[in-house]
């Protein structure tokens, strides 16, 4: 998910381009302005942490680009491209390393496990909004 900071900074195309150039296939994509309730559900594993309210407030502050990506080892590949959560720990060349300064204004979310990816996809997408299309580039990456 590309968070409100990406949309506000007009970086959507650039970030998506980086994901696509790696070879990740977009099978779901939409612009959504999350409600507070959706943001709370998305970050439910953090509900008892002191930064929960700030996460929810930021995520619900403006539109996000929700995405479903597909590839072999998709979660691990995406997390490598995204970089570490804390921008000061994220390597240059990663999305967070190149575009983030503040952890609480992190510009991108990537699921940390296949199980969380499944849970999060169900929060943001109906089955009818995911399209597993024939990619003529399969095998080139």
């Amino acid at each position: 998910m590309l968070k409100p900071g990406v949309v506000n900074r007009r970086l959507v195309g650039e970030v998506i381009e980086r994901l696509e150039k790696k070879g990740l296939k977009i099978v779901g994509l939409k612009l959504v302005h999350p409600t507070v309730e959706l943001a709370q559900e998305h970050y439910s594993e953090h509900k008892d942490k002191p930064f929960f309210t700030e996460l929810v407030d930021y995520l619900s502050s403006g539109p996000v680009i929700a995405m479903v990506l597909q590839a072999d080892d998709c979660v691990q590949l995406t997390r490598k491209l995204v970089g570490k959560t804390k921008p000061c720990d994220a390597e240059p060349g990663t999305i967070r390393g190149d575009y983030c300064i503040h952890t609480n204004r992190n510009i991108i979310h990537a699921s940390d496990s296949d199980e969380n990816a499944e849970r999060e996809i169900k929060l943001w997408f109906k089955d009818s909004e995911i399209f597993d299309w024939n990619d003529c580039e399969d095998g080139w990456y």
Side-chain angles (χ1 to χ4, degrees):
M1 173 195 334
L2 307 184
K3 296 182 183 180
V6 172
V7 176
N8 283 302
R9 293 171 58 196
R10 313 298 195 275
L11 295 171
V12 171
E14 196 166 327
V15 173
I16 289 175
E17 179 182 31
R18 291 174 74 159
L19 299 168
E20 286 188 308
K21 281 186 174 179
K22 179 66 176 176
L24 300 172
K25 181 169 91 170
I26 297 172
V27 296
L29 179 76
K30 65 180 173 178
L31 181 70
V32 180
H33 191 149
T35 62
V36 169
E37 294 77 21
L38 178 57
Q40 288 172 333
E41 183 65 23
H42 180 81
Y43 284 127
S44 61
E45 72 272 14
H46 300 301
K47 67 182 173 197
D48 296 326
K49 296 181 181 162
F51 55 83
F52 177 72
T53 300
E54 192 172 7
L55 277 175
V56 169
D57 289 347
Y58 176 51
L59 192 61
S60 61
S61 70
V64 303
I65 307 295
M67 290 188 288
V68 180
L69 304 172
Q70 195 177 73
D72 293 339
D73 301 314
C74 191
V75 169
Q76 295 84 353
L77 281 174
T78 303
R79 291 195 58 85
K80 272 202 179 277
L81 287 170
V82 166
K84 296 193 180 194
T85 302
K86 290 179 70 175
C88 61
D89 295 335
E91 294 291 327
T94 65
I95 293 167
R96 288 179 179 147
D98 290 349
Y99 300 111
C100 291
I101 293 176
H102 303 288
T103 302
N104 62 347
R105 292 283 184 222
N106 202 320
I107 67 167
I108 190 167
H109 168 79
S111 302
D112 62 359
S113 69
D114 290 342
E115 296 76 26
N116 277 339
E118 286 181 32
R119 180 185 73 80
E120 292 166 2
I121 289 167
K122 288 178 182 166
L123 281 176
W124 295 91
F125 289 88
K126 300 174 191 167
D127 289 343
S128 63
E129 296 174 315
I130 299 172
F131 306 93
D132 187 8
W133 47 277
N134 184 22
D135 186 354
C136 65
E137 298 294 325
D138 276 350
W140 289 102
Y141 293 97

